[in-house]
Amino acid sequence: MNYVNCGNFKTSYAKDAAIYKTVFSKISIYSFLILMLLVPFYANSYILYILNMIFISSIAAVGLNILTGFTGLISLGHGAFIGVGAFATGYLALNYGMNFYFVIPLAALITAIIGIIFGLPSLRLKDLYLSIATLAAQFILEFIFIRAESFTGGVNGMPVAYPTIFGIEINNDFRFYFFAYSFAIVMITIGKNILRTKIGRAFISVRDNYIAAEAMGVDIFKYKLLSFGISSFYAGVAGSLWAYYVQFITPEHFTITVSIQYLSMIIIGGLGSVLGSIFGTIFMVILPEMLRHLVDLLSGVAPFLKQIFPAIREAFYGIVIILFLLFEPEGLARRWNLIKAYWKLWPFSY
Amino acid sequence: MSALLEVKNIYLSFGGIMAVAGVSFKVNKGEIFSIIGPNGAGKTSVLNVVTGIYKPKRGKILFEDTDITNLPVKKRAKLGLVRTFQNLELFKGMTVLDNLMLSRHIFMNYGLISSIFYFGKALKEEVKNREFVEDVIDFLDLSAVRKKYVFELSYGIQKRVELARALCLQPKLLMLDEPMAGMNTEETEDMARYIIDINEEMGITIILIEHDMNVVMDLSHRVVALDFGEKICEGKPEEVANDERVLSAYLGEEKWV
Ligand SMILES: Nc1ncnc2c1ncn2[C@@H]1O[C@H](COP(=O)(O)OP(=O)(O)OP(=O)(O)O)[C@@H](O)[C@H]1O
Ligand SMILES: [Mg+2]
């Protein structure tokens, strides 16, 4: 299986630009995707819950990575944008009784527009100043979630009904698995496509060197806004799925902590990498679960651990992020590439 | 010969410093036109005004007889005004190939939807522009580093990538800001060869800023010399080289060899 890459000469430029470049990687990725379809038949609902959270969160993480990792615009408002998607979903489903296949795109579109509006300061602001502006977006939106009671239910939150498809209610972890999984695959594929074309290159050019980008004819402001729009669209889809999954949303779900968690995900996974966003999500969803089990295990010896679990969790996040920034600043994606490169040359790995 | 670019009495200052003080010159179609002058003379500043990065306090820039003084930077590439930078300004996180493909940005017209599905128009245009890029890669002997990230490459190669990126924009006027700076003799000779080929075979007009006087003498059709932001001399290379004001401007400058 390691020989496949040796005679890897592309016969056309289209093939050279393909996402999966060898037959081997194509086969492995498709088999993996199909195997994933079998998981729910064997997993219990706890595992399914975790996987569903990973699907939903990875959509949002890819979105944030498009903005922050690829375009270089740090956003501290991603959590609130996810909230916009969630509340828009609740509102549309509750008041208009729309089905999810209208609600999700509409909610995502609304989120995209709001994202673009809050991206407008990027015309004048850069770096730290821009991230402060997105922090303002976070707080303004949180305020709206709480105050615009007729839309959001305010602090009491709002219920969201199950989505139905062909008369089937998606009302348990098992069914939701297929639902969220499909969305994750579609959104990640779209992201990959956007990033390997003209738009993705323009994003990176804005990140790496905006003066040169402009001299090459890239309309920087347009692409900054487009990046805000696409990133928020992803947040909207994730928020919408989340609303359908948890079925009850309150403003507390979309605080600055959530924004920071998403930033952590993409830093841990790897800025500027779609695969990294997914790794980061898996890591950040599983880590607190592991921690919880550890605390449960130790609580026999030290019962107070259970009480301070939330505090431990936050501190642990912080430590993990610092460790990554120090020792693996390019994230899990780079580790993965190193491992892949190692196996490609195995057993001659020098 | 008709003028491709006309710089008319431009002034540019930074705080108290007069970077450019009333410089005028014309660049004719098809020529290699060099700008020389000691460090801080205002050479790069003139390019920055021509490419629109800075707006002149006074004066005009005409390109193909159209006033472009107030045209935004991003629109100038489309007209065919293309430059390289004195201190490499590549997209470091992209491969060489993507850097060059980015230069084809303005030649691609497909939109977001087409890009989402990577189908039809997007695919067709990506391939068509890739072909153009590959020609430039061949021309500048970059095929070995095509898939390398820019930050992995040596300084000399990065300079060449920057030239390639400029060529991918199909310039009418190519402005090179010290393309040989920091290169060894062999790399310098290669670069000189490329510049001549670009000018003669592709018929691209070139503005060259260069400190290496041998290069300037060999390549240029005409030269303008600046000092303290002012034009002190203009003419054929040998005329400028023997001009008294030029000689005194360079007095004590070791680069005058
Ligand atoms: N962005 C800027 N801000 C402040 N001063 C500047 C700026 N750019 C240039 N200058 C000043 O303008 C003058 C001309 O600079 P310029 O870079 O045009 O010189 P140059 O001829 O290209 O020199 P070199 O050979 O060193 O590249 C210098 O005194 C420089 O310090
Ligand atoms: Mg200079």
Side-chain angles (χ1 to χ4, degrees):
Chain A
M1 66 173 221
N2 295 311
Y3 309 129
V4 186
N5 286 350
C6 298
N8 183 14
F9 299 109
K10 309 299 184 308
T11 47
S12 80
Y13 295 137
K15 274 191 198 145
D16 192 37
I19 297 179
Y20 309 113
K21 295 205 167 57
T22 60
V23 181
F24 174 68
S25 61
K26 223 177 214 156
I27 292 174
S28 22
I29 192 76
Y30 286 136
S31 341
F32 175 75
L33 292 179
I34 291 167
L35 278 177
M36 285 292 285
L37 283 174
L38 302 177
V39 170
F41 296 99
Y42 299 97
N44 61 24
S45 74
Y46 174 64
I47 299 285
L48 288 180
Y49 163 78
I50 288 179
L51 288 170
N52 287 342
M53 292 311 288
I54 289 174
F55 295 147
I56 296 171
S57 306
S58 63
I59 295 173
V62 168
L64 184 60
N65 218 335
I66 288 173
L67 183 68
T68 300
F70 286 91
T71 322
L73 308 170
I74 298 170
S75 169
L76 290 167
H78 209 60
F81 291 135
I82 294 171
V84 172
F87 282 114
T89 298
Y91 183 79
L92 292 170
L94 197 68
N95 291 289
Y96 297 99
M98 283 186 200
N99 205 321
F100 79 84
Y101 34 78
F102 292 117
V103 171
I104 295 180
L106 260 180
L109 220 59
I110 291 168
T111 315
I113 291 165
I114 300 219
I116 289 172
I117 292 170
F118 281 108
L120 286 173
S122 66
L123 173 61
R124 297 247 169 244
L125 301 180
K126 280 204 307 261
D127 308 333
L128 188 60
Y129 299 95
L130 183 63
S131 42
I132 299 299
T134 61
L135 186 63
Q138 170 75 38
F139 290 132
I140 291 169
L141 288 171
E142 268 187 55
F143 179 79
I144 293 174
F145 295 156
I146 293 171
R147 287 307 171 91
E149 287 177 14
S150 52
F151 286 100
T152 64
V155 283
N156 296 322
M158 75 197 303
V160 183
Y162 296 120
T164 56
I165 181 165
F166 310 125
I168 302 167
E169 279 198 337
I170 302 171
N171 57 2
N172 57 34
D173 292 316
F174 178 84
R175 289 181 182 169
F176 201 87
Y177 180 95
F178 298 99
F179 190 64
Y181 184 53
S182 327
F183 272 97
I185 289 180
V186 169
M187 293 309 288
I188 288 163
T189 309
I190 287 175
K192 269 278 187 193
N193 280 345
I194 291 175
L195 291 168
R196 67 183 167 140
T197 51
K198 157 188 177 188
I199 297 170
R201 286 189 298 264
F203 286 165
I204 300 175
S205 77
V206 171
R207 176 194 74 189
D208 279 2
N209 194 325
Y210 66 95
I211 292 178
E214 205 165 22
M216 305 287 119
V218 175
D219 186 341
I220 294 182
F221 187 46
K222 174 181 150 186
Y223 281 95
K224 280 182 177 173
L225 288 187
L226 189 60
S227 188
F228 267 102
I230 292 174
S231 160
S232 316
F233 190 91
Y234 275 74
V237 172
S240 192
L241 290 174
W242 156 271
Y244 277 129
Y245 192 40
V246 299
Q247 309 221 302
F248 197 86
I249 45 175
T250 68
E252 286 153 43
H253 290 133
F254 313 108
T255 55
I256 176 80
T257 313
V258 177
S259 295
I260 290 171
Q261 276 173 0
Y262 275 101
L263 269 180
S264 321
M265 282 184 207
I266 61 171
I267 290 170
I268 288 169
L271 291 170
S273 159
V274 171
L275 191 63
S277 323
I278 301 164
F279 287 155
T281 312
I282 296 172
F283 191 87
M284 285 294 274
V285 173
I286 290 181
L287 184 74
E289 297 300 326
M290 299 289 225
L291 213 56
R292 197 201 314 277
H293 287 305
L294 192 70
V295 167
D296 280 347
L297 222 67
L298 293 176
S299 61
V301 211
F304 67 92
L305 278 176
K306 218 161 188 154
Q307 281 149 31
I308 57 168
F309 176 67
I312 297 180
R313 194 178 55 187
E314 300 300 319
F316 206 74
Y317 278 152
I319 291 169
V320 167
I321 292 166
I322 290 172
L323 288 179
F324 263 93
L325 287 174
L326 282 177
F327 298 111
E328 196 74 88
E330 284 167 68
L332 293 167
R334 197 180 87 95
R335 238 335 92 193
W336 169 256
N337 285 334
L338 290 177
I339 293 167
K340 247 182 17 189
Y342 177 88
W343 282 105
K344 217 181 254 177
L345 297 173
W346 191 87
F348 307 107
S349 46
Y350 40 81
Chain B
M1 275 198 286
S2 59
L4 181 66
L5 177 81
E6 200 177 341
V7 172
K8 270 186 169 169
N9 199 27
I10 54 167
Y11 285 79
L12 178 73
S13 59
F14 298 102
I17 304 166
M18 262 301 190
V20 185
V23 170
S24 305
F25 58 82
K26 284 183 184 177
V27 180
N28 297 320
K29 243 176 216 149
E31 69 181 349
I32 298 182
F33 182 89
S34 289
I35 303 177
I36 62 166
N39 289 106
K43 306 179 293 293
T44 301
S45 298
V46 168
L47 271 207
N48 283 338
V49 170
V50 173
T51 47
I53 292 176
Y54 295 121
K55 250 193 74 180
K57 218 162 78 180
R58 261 167 59 196
K60 269 187 186 163
I61 311 287
L62 302 182
F63 186 67
E64 294 188 312
D65 300 324
T66 326
D67 188 346
I68 57 161
T69 319
N70 293 312
L71 197 72
V73 178
K74 62 189 181 211
K75 296 209 172 137
R76 299 189 191 210
K78 226 172 212 162
L79 292 183
L81 277 155
V82 178
R83 73 177 292 183
T84 64
F85 295 84
Q86 182 168 356
N87 306 305
L88 292 166
E89 303 283 357
L90 286 162
F91 307 115
K92 292 222 159 79
M94 284 197 238
T95 60
V96 170
L97 188 59
D98 280 341
N99 266 273
L100 304 189
M101 284 298 278
L102 181 99
S103 293
R104 302 300 295 167
H105 184 83
I106 55 173
F107 302 97
M108 298 188 205
N109 293 314
Y110 63 85
L112 181 59
I113 300 297
S114 187
S115 160
I116 283 174
F117 298 108
Y118 197 68
F119 196 71
K121 202 169 177 196
L123 188 59
K124 216 170 80 193
E125 288 197 18
E126 287 286 321
V127 170
K128 195 178 76 190
N129 284 290
R130 174 74 188 273
E131 280 161 8
F132 188 95
V133 164
E134 288 293 333
D135 287 344
V136 174
I137 287 178
D138 282 345
F139 174 69
L140 291 178
D141 299 312
L142 287 168
S143 24
V145 297
R146 201 197 261 119
K147 293 285 174 73
K148 286 241 160 60
Y149 284 88
V150 165
F151 67 81
E152 301 174 290
L153 304 173
S154 73
Y155 183 80
I157 301 283
Q158 288 194 31
K159 279 268 181 196
R160 216 193 296 164
V161 173
E162 225 195 32
L163 178 63
R165 186 178 68 176
L167 282 182
C168 285
L169 275 156
Q170 291 179 266
K172 281 184 189 155
L173 176 62
L174 177 61
M175 294 165 273
L176 305 171
D177 197 350
E178 305 199 14
M180 281 99 165
M183 285 187 163
N184 62 34
T185 321
E186 199 191 325
E187 287 171 331
T188 303
E189 279 169 9
D190 284 345
M191 185 57 86
R193 192 72 249 158
Y194 290 134
I195 293 173
I196 293 172
D197 284 349
I198 290 166
N199 179 249
E200 289 179 356
E201 287 176 24
M202 302 183 183
I204 294 172
T205 309
I206 293 173
I207 294 182
L208 176 67
I209 295 179
E210 187 46 55
H211 277 297
D212 187 329
M213 281 311 142
N214 296 323
V215 171
V216 172
M217 292 304 131
D218 285 352
L219 299 189
S220 325
H221 299 125
R222 284 191 311 128
V223 180
V224 63
L226 304 181
D227 194 19
F228 294 110
E230 289 177 38
K231 180 165 98 173
I232 50 173
C233 179
E234 183 180 347
K236 293 207 160 19
E238 50 281 0
E239 289 166 16
V240 174
N242 297 317
D243 188 274
E244 251 175 56
R245 282 159 304 177
V246 177
L247 288 171
S248 70
Y250 272 100
L251 210 62
E253 280 255 340
E254 27 179 349
K255 276 183 175 141
W256 185 255
V257 277

